[in-house]
Amino acid sequence: MTSAHDHGPATFGRTFALAIAMNVGFVLFEAFQGWRVHSLALLADAGHNLIDVAGLVLAWGGVFAAGLRPNLRHTYGWQRASILASFANALLLMIAMGALIWEALHRLRAPVAVEGGTVMMVAAVGVVVNAATALLFRSGQRDLNIRGAFLHMAADALVSLGVVAAGFLYLRTGWSWLDPVTSLVIAGVIVIGAWSLFRQSLHLMLDGVPDAIELPQVDSYLRSLPGVETVHDLHVWATSTSGVALTAHLVMPAGYPGTPFFEAAARALRDRFEITHPTIQVETTRLDDACAPRRDTQP
């Protein structure tokens, strides 16, 4: 039996700290401006941005927990915390968009006048802050948890950009329905992205095979190894948003193949399938395969 280890992504610790500091500053600025001009819209958006700060804190906590070392009670460490954080982040984002849709529908029924100039100015600052924050996480999107943080901030930048456009058009036309309609369109786009994140993180929480891995291809590769007669009890699941584990039983009648065989297999599984934690057991005769997946159903 052999196992190869390659745990965890970069922690993005400084990135999260900078992103949270920038967004807390913007929330305070937006809330003050909303209070100063008596704008309920700005105050509501400040509350929405505060939720996103909570999302960033949650994602950072997930990354931190995933980096904790294993112990006798948690033999994989806390890697799965990053999956839980990405799931919570997606849920939080959809709840925030639900609140935004509710408010937009209410504003459609009872339009209110807004101070277009102030709203445009504050929203423009929001575009810069949120876009800059999203760019900080752009390089880490292969990690589902980091992708959740990126989507949060990219969504906010899109919302702020829509608010700028709506404020400009309002100044030109006086149409008070522009703001809620713009909000509904943007919220719809964001919910689509959030649903994808929600679905993927829930799938990983339930030990599903990561979307990037085709299990039949992994099975075929293992069967192609020299001396392998068949493969059974093949399992692939995510230990974190960036780590993937594999266990497999290889039936090799000739017996134990030697260390170079396992090293080459572990290297190929990492390079070809991004499986970072493979564990392979060799058997000279096939044992009972009670865990064999059904081939006639989709995961």
Side-chain angles (χ1 to χ4, degrees):
M1 180 181 291
T2 185
S3 177
H5 302 264
D6 182 15
H7 297 303
T11 62
F12 278 79
R14 291 183 179 179
T15 300
F16 274 109
L18 177 60
I20 290 170
M22 289 170 57
N23 283 273
V24 167
F26 176 65
V27 166
L28 294 174
F29 169 73
E30 186 174 34
F32 172 75
Q33 292 297 328
W35 169 80
R36 186 178 65 83
V37 301
H38 306 289
S39 170
L40 181 61
L42 289 179
L43 289 172
D45 192 54
H48 164 248
N49 283 311
L50 188 60
I51 291 175
D52 287 336
V53 171
L56 287 175
V57 172
L58 188 65
W60 191 8
V63 170
F64 174 77
L68 295 177
R69 295 183 62 82
N71 57 39
L72 295 178
R73 297 291 295 171
H74 298 90
T75 56
Y76 271 112
W78 294 77
Q79 297 181 60
R80 191 168 288 265
S82 61
I83 299 176
L84 297 175
S86 63
F87 175 79
N89 226 335
L91 193 60
L92 192 63
L93 187 57
M94 289 196 292
I95 291 173
M97 290 303 101
L100 184 63
I101 290 171
W102 178 267
E103 177 63 20
L105 292 174
H106 176 74
R107 290 292 178 94
L108 276 175
R109 290 193 298 267
V112 297
V114 296
E115 293 192 20
T118 300
V119 170
M120 283 181 63
M121 182 271 292
V122 175
V125 174
V127 171
V128 174
V129 171
N130 291 318
T133 304
L135 288 174
L136 291 175
F137 296 106
R138 185 179 180 183
S139 64
Q141 286 193 73
R142 292 175 69 102
D143 183 291
L144 197 62
N145 190 35
I146 302 298
R147 183 184 167 211
F150 172 82
L151 283 176
H152 248 110
M153 305 322 300
D156 271 0
L158 190 60
V159 169
S160 297
L161 188 62
V163 173
V164 171
F168 175 78
L169 290 174
Y170 176 78
L171 287 176
R172 290 300 187 95
T173 65
W175 294 339
S176 55
W177 53 265
L178 281 170
D179 180 65
V181 167
T182 302
S183 299
L184 285 173
V185 172
I186 294 170
V189 173
I190 293 170
V191 165
I192 293 173
W195 173 253
S196 175
L197 180 65
F198 177 85
R199 180 191 61 79
Q200 290 182 55
S201 56
L202 180 61
H203 177 69
L204 296 185
M205 284 174 60
L206 298 176
D207 288 334
V209 177
D211 290 348
I213 295 177
E214 295 292 337
L215 195 62
Q217 294 181 12
V218 178
D219 183 78
S220 295
Y221 166 72
L222 293 174
R223 291 174 185 272
S224 72
L225 293 174
V228 175
E229 181 179 273
T230 187
V231 176
H232 68 96
D233 280 304
L234 173 60
H235 301 284
V236 176
W237 72 99
T239 58
S240 69
T241 49
S242 62
V244 180
L246 170 147
T247 60
H249 292 210
L250 307 185
V251 179
M252 305 181 71
Y256 189 80
T259 300
F261 172 90
F262 294 109
E263 291 177 341
R267 186 163 51 250
L269 288 169
R270 182 187 65 240
D271 295 343
R272 293 178 58 175
F273 304 105
E274 297 186 355
I275 294 173
T276 54
H277 190 124
T279 301
I280 297 173
Q281 178 171 319
V282 171
E283 302 164 354
T284 55
T285 59
R286 177 164 179 159
L287 303 178
D288 181 41
D289 188 8
C291 299
R294 292 178 59 184
R295 301 294 179 181
D296 59 340
T297 59
Q298 293 295 322

